[in-house]
Amino acid sequence: MEEVDSQAYQRLQQEAIALRQQVQTLEQELASWGKGSAKAEREELTPRAIAILQGSTEAFFSLNREWVFTYLNPQAESLLGRSRADLVGKNIWEEFAAAVGSLFYQQYHLAMESQKLVNFEAFYPPLEMWYDVRAYRVGEELFVYFTNINALKQLNQSNQALYESEQRFRTLIENVPGAIYRCAGDSDWTMEFISDAIAEISGYPASDFINNTARSFASIIHPEDVAEVEANIFEAIAAKTAYILEYRIICSDGAIRWVYEKGQGIFDEGGQFLYLDGVIFDISDRKHAEAELHQTRHFLSSVLENLPVGVAVKEAQDLRFVFWNPAAATLLGYQPEDVMGKNDRDLFPPEQAAEFIQKDREVLASHSTLEIPEEIVQTKFGDTRILRTLKAAILDRQGNPQYLLAIIEDITERKQAEKLLKQRIAAIEATTDGISVLNVDREYIYLNKAFCRIYGYESADELLGKTWRELYNRDEIERISRVILPIVDEKGQWHGEARGKMRDGVEFPQDISLTLTDFGLICVCRDIRDRKAAEEALRQSEQRFRDVSEAAGEYLWEIDLKGVYTFVSDKVKRVKGYDPAQVLGHNLFEFMLQEEVERVRAIVQEARSRQGNFKLEHRNITSSGEIVWEEVNGVPLLDETREIIGFRGTGLSITERKRAELQLRQKTHDLEQALHTLKRAQSQLLQSEKMSGLGQMVAGVAHEINNPVNFIHGNLNPANDYATDLLHLIELYQQHYPDPPEVIQGELDAIDLDFLKEDLTKLLRSMRVGTERIREIVMSLRNFSRLDEADFKPANIHEGLHGTLMILRNRLKATTERPEIEIIKDYGDLPRIECYPGQLNQVFMNIIANAIDAVEARLRENVEPQPGCIWISTEVLDTESVCIRIRDNGSGISEEIEHRIFDPFFTTKEVGKGTGLGMSISYQIVCERHNGLLECVSSLGEGTEFIVTLPLQQGRDRKQLLTNA
């Protein structure tokens, strides 16, 4: 069969080649004919061309620009099944309407417009025929050649079965609602085949995955699911069982979708794993539905849990509780764990439980709903509540009761409210205010006794069914209709004054409140004739007060609760500098100095909270920028209900008084400063005189001591020489007269000559040490007493420190109460500095003496005395200044005291033990006299350090010294 088809196909190909050659000749003739410019020439070629076309085995027809047939050859008539006479002059798309929009239609239009040859194969269903078509434009006409190729198409029937089989398999795959795959068992899980449905699931075409061309399927599995997917597949392969997976993939657009995959491993006869076959389904909708179902269940559960009414569910057989929401627990006091699995007999008194069960059985038996408007139930805590209960049977699909639903509403408060309402109605009847209710037609449907009394009616029956117009005159009716009622309709309420008309025609002022409600218009009225009379009397009184206040230079004001001026008198300009029109409607804080606002606001708020008076002074800024003072007195402004609605009061200008006070305070301050300076100078003078006198006395004492000490010290050397000579002479006598007379021997024994010789040398040596010590003390006293020197001179700081320690040495020694205070020195190599040596000695004396006091105080406080120490160190800070540090391990001082340590007359010592001038004078000596720095650094309980910084030469800028320090 295949050999016959091949021969037929070759024969048809040969016929087609011959036909093509014949047609090519014809096309050349027609092309020449179409290009001719002379009409005669075209007419001359027409018969020959027509003869060719008539004898051609290929069908041909021509169309003009309007798609109208201009010619058909016999072969075309045969293939189209229509005669030339039938088609020439007619539109092809009208005659062959089935071709509109088809490949014929598209290609013919393309050839006509582009003037290019088109060649295509197409099937025309109405004629059940395949055509091989060539078309091209010549001049203004389209030439179409076509042949029947059904025979060629039929040659493929042998392959058609295979094609259809493949097509059915492909259709089957395409119609499976999932992607079918085969995956190799290699390390990369190479995808050998996967159906196109994967594109709908993942957004990636199947070609991306086949042979892992663009990506592997594993690459789109969600990273969090990869390990679990691989583990399940490996487990199934090992067990040679199918695997079912649900996991997430990341699609091409970044969306995450859920898939369901089922597959199994394929093995050869020897049990060797070959590949995986499986199918993948998109289950995102199911997952979303499950999530929504879970959310719905959670929502319904939340609704039941959060319902403000109690909900209980019992199973139908034994009426045991299976659900109990929080509202039921709150209402009856039983928690879910108290009731679950129990029935009413376990919770309520026997009679009450029996009644509940009886009604439950009735509802279940009748498959109905039962409403119990009121029932009194005892709670777990023994109190009773009034409940409104609704019970309903819940049936299964067969109509059998499965559960009993009970909805429990606590109406105790509502019942109490109803009772209270009745009491309030009684109170309304008893009130002195007139109260009435009007319907939508503004007719009275209720009036209390007071309302009838105010208008002079004996009973409500006289006004029921009548309109409000009965109680007002013509002008008031017009005002109420035009002004008041529209406000009520728009805002729902109105309050103000009107003039009512009594039954006898007498008019009177009234206060009215109108409120629009769902059941009508409520009117509350009050006769205010007495109040109006009182207001008039008050107005006259206020006018008198206003006249008196303005005569006193004050202005009157009123503000609301927001602080906005609602009234000011004319004299406000004298106080604030603004006209009344500039003040009205503005907030009082707008005119104040900004720093005054919070203080004044607090005072006004406090007065408002206690509904009391207030008095204050504050500063304003006038329109010209001047700052002026104002004294304000305010009293609360109350409405008829005694509620505060604002303040009123007076304002008085006190600018001149404040300026005078300021001048007085300045003068007082100047005098205080002068007095302080005078006291300071006096103290300095007294201390200076005291120290000068002390220095003179010390210098005199030192001089008087120095002379005899020098006399004694100067004679010690000769005396020592004399004693040595005498002792040598005695030794010679003893050598030459070894046996002295008895009298001499007795005297030698009496005076113990050997001891005398040894001790005399020691005695003279100790006398020399004593005199040297006295000379050192005298030198220290002379150095310390240099207080009257008027000029700076170079001095050795270490000599001053040494002299000070020499004088204070006795205080450093151990006593019965404490051990010796140790002095630890760490001196640097200091050059001489320009200073007043005596004054600096005074500074060192004050600081070290205070350090000794601090150490002694700490040693007295400690149960176990610890060694006291004072550290003195000196160093050169730079080429222009030196630093002396004196530190102790005493009790230290607090931060508060540290800030005042250099204040005059400030002392922490007991009365009589300190003047409070020592550190103040020391500060002046260092900082003012020597352009230096004196600093105190202390920690309570740890000790204190004083740091003295001095310039090497006077005249140096103190700011530079501060910078270096």
Side-chain angles (χ1 to χ4, degrees):
M1 179 63 181
E2 292 180 357
E3 183 179 356
V4 172
D5 289 342
S6 176
Q7 292 174 357
Y9 184 78
Q10 291 176 0
R11 185 173 61 254
L12 287 173
Q13 279 187 327
Q14 292 173 0
E15 290 178 358
I17 291 172
L19 183 59
R20 291 293 183 191
Q21 292 174 350
Q22 185 179 8
V23 170
Q24 188 174 7
T25 302
L26 178 59
E27 286 176 346
Q28 292 174 355
E29 290 288 338
L30 291 173
S32 300
W33 174 69
K35 294 179 181 179
S37 59
K39 180 179 180 182
E41 186 179 356
R42 290 198 302 271
E43 291 177 350
E44 183 180 349
L45 293 174
T46 297
R48 184 172 58 176
I50 290 175
I52 295 173
L53 292 172
Q54 288 292 103
S56 173
T57 59
E58 189 173 21
F60 170 85
F61 62 81
S62 60
L63 304 169
N64 63 15
R65 294 288 291 181
E66 286 72 34
W67 303 102
V68 173
F69 285 98
T70 57
Y71 176 77
L72 291 87
N73 70 353
Q75 191 66 21
E77 290 176 305
S78 174
L79 293 181
L80 295 178
R82 301 280 293 275
S83 67
R84 183 188 310 165
D86 188 26
L87 292 178
V88 172
K90 296 181 180 179
N91 189 288
I92 184 174
W93 309 123
E94 294 176 358
E95 298 302 318
F96 298 93
V100 175
S102 68
L103 186 59
F104 296 100
Y105 185 91
Q106 297 169 3
Q107 293 295 323
Y108 289 174
H109 276 77
L110 177 62
M112 181 70 81
E113 297 299 328
S114 65
Q115 297 186 9
K116 293 181 179 179
L117 172 68
V118 296
N119 191 348
F120 61 94
E121 293 181 358
F123 181 72
Y124 187 66
L127 298 179
E128 297 183 354
M129 194 172 296
W130 279 91
Y131 297 102
D132 179 24
V133 183
R134 288 181 301 113
Y136 58 90
R137 178 178 163 187
V138 178
E140 294 298 320
E141 292 188 333
L142 181 67
F143 292 170
V144 180
Y145 300 88
F146 59 102
T147 57
N148 180 358
I149 59 171
N150 277 352
L152 293 175
K153 291 294 183 180
Q154 291 173 358
L155 293 176
N156 295 323
Q157 288 180 353
S158 58
N159 298 323
Q160 186 66 25
L162 178 60
Y163 169 78
E164 291 177 355
S165 176
E166 291 180 353
Q167 190 66 26
R168 283 193 299 272
F169 178 71
R170 183 173 299 277
T171 301
L172 177 62
I173 291 177
E174 291 177 352
N175 289 323
V176 171
I180 298 173
Y181 69 86
R182 168 166 288 182
C183 179
D186 56 15
S187 59
D188 296 328
W189 299 103
T190 303
M191 193 69 72
E192 295 182 355
F193 169 78
I194 190 166
S195 64
D196 292 337
I198 194 63
E200 297 181 7
I201 298 174
S202 68
Y204 295 106
S207 58
D208 280 10
F209 300 108
I210 294 176
N211 295 324
N212 293 0
T213 302
R215 58 186 52 79
S216 66
F217 187 79
S219 68
I220 68 171
I221 298 177
H222 196 285
E224 296 177 1
D225 299 340
V226 169
E228 183 178 357
V229 170
E230 290 183 347
N232 289 334
I233 292 176
F234 286 139
E235 182 179 351
I237 292 173
K240 294 185 178 180
T241 59
Y243 55 85
I244 297 176
L245 309 171
E246 289 186 3
Y247 55 89
R248 295 165 293 174
I249 63 171
I250 302 175
C251 301
S252 60
D253 59 358
I256 296 176
R257 301 186 69 85
W258 279 91
V259 296
Y260 167 92
E261 180 179 346
K262 182 175 183 180
Q264 66 179 25
I266 305 300
F267 302 86
D268 60 14
E269 294 179 356
Q272 182 68 30
F273 173 63
L274 299 177
Y275 45 80
L276 297 173
D277 281 349
V279 62
I280 300 172
F281 298 97
D282 184 353
I283 60 169
S284 298
D285 293 340
R286 192 194 81 191
K287 284 290 185 179
H288 293 326
E290 290 175 355
E292 290 176 0
L293 178 60
H294 175 74
Q295 186 175 2
T296 301
R297 289 178 178 173
H298 178 71
F299 169 74
L300 292 176
S301 177
S302 299
V303 169
L304 291 175
E305 291 289 335
N306 293 287
L307 277 176
V309 295
V311 178
V313 179
K314 304 175 184 177
E315 50 88 16
Q317 185 174 359
D318 297 325
L319 293 177
R320 296 187 182 276
F321 289 98
V322 296
F323 180 79
W324 186 264
N325 76 339
T330 302
L331 176 59
L332 296 175
Y334 295 100
Q335 298 302 314
E337 57 268 20
D338 298 333
V339 301
M340 300 301 285
K342 298 180 180 179
N343 58 28
D344 293 326
R345 291 191 180 91
D346 300 320
L347 304 174
F348 302 103
E351 293 182 1
Q352 198 172 65
E355 183 179 357
F356 292 161
I357 293 172
Q358 178 186 351
K359 291 179 180 179
D360 292 345
R361 292 299 183 194
E362 291 175 0
V363 171
L364 291 172
S366 61
H367 299 183
S368 61
T369 299
L370 173 65
E371 180 180 359
I372 305 172
E374 292 183 28
E375 60 180 348
I376 299 176
V377 178
Q378 182 176 331
T379 70
K380 178 181 179 180
F381 307 110
D383 59 333
T384 57
R385 307 294 294 177
I386 303 173
L387 306 181
R388 174 179 174 270
T389 307
L390 182 67
K391 297 185 176 183
I394 301 177
L395 310 178
D396 60 15
R397 293 182 179 180
Q398 288 73 37
N400 299 318
Q402 291 291 107
Y403 300 99
L404 177 80
L405 171 66
I407 299 177
I408 309 165
E409 180 184 4
D410 186 359
I411 59 172
T412 307
E413 283 75 17
R414 190 179 76 189
K415 286 298 180 180
Q416 293 173 349
E418 291 176 356
K419 181 179 179 180
L420 180 62
L421 179 61
K422 293 178 181 178
Q423 295 174 349
R424 289 181 176 177
I425 291 174
I428 289 173
E429 286 297 325
T431 185
T432 57
D433 287 340
I435 300 175
S436 63
V437 181
L438 297 89
N439 60 19
V440 293
D441 296 324
R442 302 297 191 254
E443 296 173 343
Y444 290 106
I445 58 174
Y446 171 79
L447 306 98
N448 71 346
K449 295 178 181 178
F451 191 92
C452 297
R453 184 181 66 253
I454 290 173
Y455 283 94
Y457 290 87
E458 295 182 358
S459 69
D461 294 337
E462 296 181 67
L463 289 174
L464 288 175
K466 296 181 181 180
T467 70
W468 58 273
R469 297 173 185 270
E470 296 284 334
L471 304 180
Y472 298 94
N473 61 30
R474 182 179 302 172
D475 293 339
E476 201 69 356
I477 290 171
E478 196 275 335
R479 185 176 77 92
I480 293 173
S481 300
R482 182 175 53 84
V483 178
I484 298 175
L485 290 181
I487 296 176
V488 174
D489 292 335
E490 178 183 355
K491 298 184 177 180
Q493 59 182 3
W494 179 85
H495 177 262
E497 295 182 1
R499 293 194 63 82
K501 183 179 69 174
M502 299 181 66
R503 182 178 183 184
D504 58 7
V506 175
E507 297 182 2
F508 66 96
Q510 59 180 192
D511 181 274
I512 294 182
S513 293
L514 299 176
T515 303
L516 190 62
T517 66
D518 294 337
F519 53 85
L521 179 64
I522 299 177
C523 173
V524 180
C525 68
R526 179 180 298 173
D527 186 344
I528 58 172
R529 280 177 282 194
D530 293 340
R531 193 186 79 189
K532 285 293 183 181
E535 287 177 354
E536 178 60 24
L538 178 61
R539 187 191 64 79
Q540 294 177 1
S541 174
E542 288 179 347
Q543 185 60 44
R544 289 193 295 272
F545 172 73
R546 189 176 290 116
D547 294 342
V548 171
S549 296
E550 291 188 356
E554 298 175 330
Y555 77 94
L556 305 179
W557 54 265
E558 288 183 5
I559 59 173
D560 61 17
L561 292 179
K562 294 181 180 179
V564 176
Y565 284 106
T566 57
F567 169 79
V568 289
S569 61
D570 294 339
K571 286 194 175 181
V572 67
K573 186 173 179 62
R574 297 183 183 179
V575 179
K576 290 185 177 292
Y578 292 91
D579 293 326
Q582 295 176 295
V583 176
L584 285 174
H586 291 270
N587 196 288
L588 63 95
F589 300 113
E590 296 180 24
F591 306 97
M592 286 186 194
L593 206 61
Q594 190 61 36
E595 51 262 35
E596 299 274 19
V597 170
E598 290 303 320
R599 178 180 65 86
V600 175
R601 192 192 304 276
I603 294 173
V604 175
Q605 289 291 344
E606 189 273 336
R608 176 184 175 180
S609 64
R610 59 182 173 81
Q611 292 193 3
N613 302 348
F614 67 86
K615 181 178 181 180
L616 57 88
E617 296 176 355
H618 67 83
R619 290 168 291 174
N620 294 322
I621 302 178
T622 67
S623 57
S624 62
E626 181 184 3
I627 297 177
V628 295
W629 280 88
E630 176 182 357
E631 180 183 84
V632 178
N633 290 274
V635 297
L637 187 60
L638 308 178
D639 61 9
E640 295 81 359
T641 62
R642 307 299 297 171
E643 291 293 329
I644 187 169
I645 59 174
F647 289 92
R648 63 157 59 107
T650 62
L652 177 66
S653 175
I654 57 172
T655 302
E656 294 302 325
R657 190 185 79 191
K658 284 292 181 179
R659 288 173 180 169
E661 289 176 356
L662 181 61
Q663 293 175 357
L664 179 61
R665 281 198 298 270
Q666 184 62 40
K667 289 181 180 179
T668 302
H669 180 265
D670 294 342
L671 290 174
E672 289 176 349
Q673 288 293 109
L675 180 60
H676 178 76
T677 303
L678 180 62
K679 286 182 178 180
R680 183 175 175 182
Q682 184 180 10
S683 66
Q684 293 176 358
L685 180 61
L686 290 173
Q687 185 71 8
S688 177
E689 289 295 327
K690 176 181 176 182
M691 294 303 296
S692 176
L694 179 61
Q696 292 176 1
M697 183 190 71
V698 169
V701 170
H703 179 73
E704 293 299 326
I705 293 174
N706 193 46
N707 287 335
V709 167
N710 285 338
F711 174 78
I712 295 171
H713 186 76
N715 290 325
L716 282 176
N717 287 332
N720 185 58
D721 293 340
Y722 298 158
T724 300
D725 292 342
L726 289 173
L727 291 175
H728 181 67
L729 178 63
I730 292 172
E731 289 177 355
L732 290 176
Y733 270 105
Q734 287 179 338
Q735 290 177 2
H736 294 285
Y737 300 100
D739 298 318
E742 184 177 348
V743 176
I744 295 173
Q745 185 64 43
E747 187 65 22
L748 290 174
D749 294 337
I751 65 175
D752 193 359
L753 180 62
D754 293 335
F755 172 76
L756 187 147
K757 289 192 292 182
E758 180 181 357
D759 191 54
L760 179 61
T761 305
K762 294 180 179 179
L763 180 65
L764 292 173
R765 189 182 303 114
S766 64
M767 291 176 65
R768 183 179 293 105
V769 171
T771 56
E772 289 177 354
R773 173 66 178 157
I774 293 173
R775 292 180 66 188
E776 288 179 0
I777 293 173
V778 169
M779 183 63 67
S780 298
L781 289 174
R782 292 181 64 184
N783 289 337
F784 186 79
S785 65
R786 294 186 294 181
L787 299 176
D788 56 348
E789 297 171 345
D791 296 326
F792 288 107
K793 60 179 60 179
N796 188 332
I797 293 296
H798 293 159
E799 290 180 357
L801 289 170
H802 179 74
T804 303
L805 292 173
M806 185 69 69
I807 294 172
L808 294 173
R809 183 174 182 178
N810 187 60
R811 291 198 60 192
L812 297 172
K813 293 179 179 180
T815 67
T816 58
E817 297 179 355
R818 62 165 177 79
E820 180 181 1
I821 298 175
E822 182 180 1
I823 300 295
I824 301 174
K825 303 175 184 177
D826 182 15
Y827 290 169
D829 186 10
L830 298 188
R832 288 180 172 272
I833 67 170
E834 289 186 355
C835 63
Y836 296 110
Q839 293 184 10
L840 288 183
N841 291 342
Q842 182 181 355
V843 172
F844 299 148
M845 174 69 74
N846 289 334
I847 294 175
I848 296 174
N850 285 339
I852 295 172
D853 291 341
V855 172
E856 289 179 340
R858 181 184 66 79
L859 294 176
R860 284 195 302 270
E861 293 172 0
N862 289 345
V863 178
E864 298 180 1
Q866 299 178 0
C869 293
I870 298 176
W871 292 266
I872 304 176
S873 63
T874 62
E875 61 178 326
V876 178
L877 291 181
D878 51 33
T879 58
E880 298 181 353
S881 59
V882 298
C883 176
I884 302 98
R885 298 176 183 270
I886 302 173
R887 178 168 62 89
D888 63 68
N889 63 350
S891 55
I893 57 178
S894 65
E895 184 177 352
E896 180 182 358
I897 295 176
E898 184 179 339
H899 292 321
R900 302 184 58 193
I901 196 69
F902 298 120
D903 292 349
F905 305 105
F906 177 78
T907 180
T908 58
K909 298 178 182 178
E910 298 177 3
V911 176
K913 292 188 177 182
T915 64
L917 293 173
M919 295 313 300
S920 173
I921 292 174
S922 298
Y923 185 85
Q924 296 172 26
I925 290 172
V926 173
C927 298
E928 297 178 9
R929 299 296 301 275
H930 289 83
N931 293 317
L933 296 175
L934 178 58
E935 302 172 84
C936 175
V937 180
S938 180
S939 296
L940 193 62
E942 297 183 4
T944 305
E945 180 179 22
F946 285 90
I947 304 170
V948 181
T949 306
L950 297 169
L952 291 175
Q953 296 180 347
Q954 293 300 319
R956 186 183 176 200
D957 187 2
R958 189 164 182 267
K959 291 183 179 179
Q960 183 63 31
L961 186 66
L962 284 168
T963 303
N964 294 337

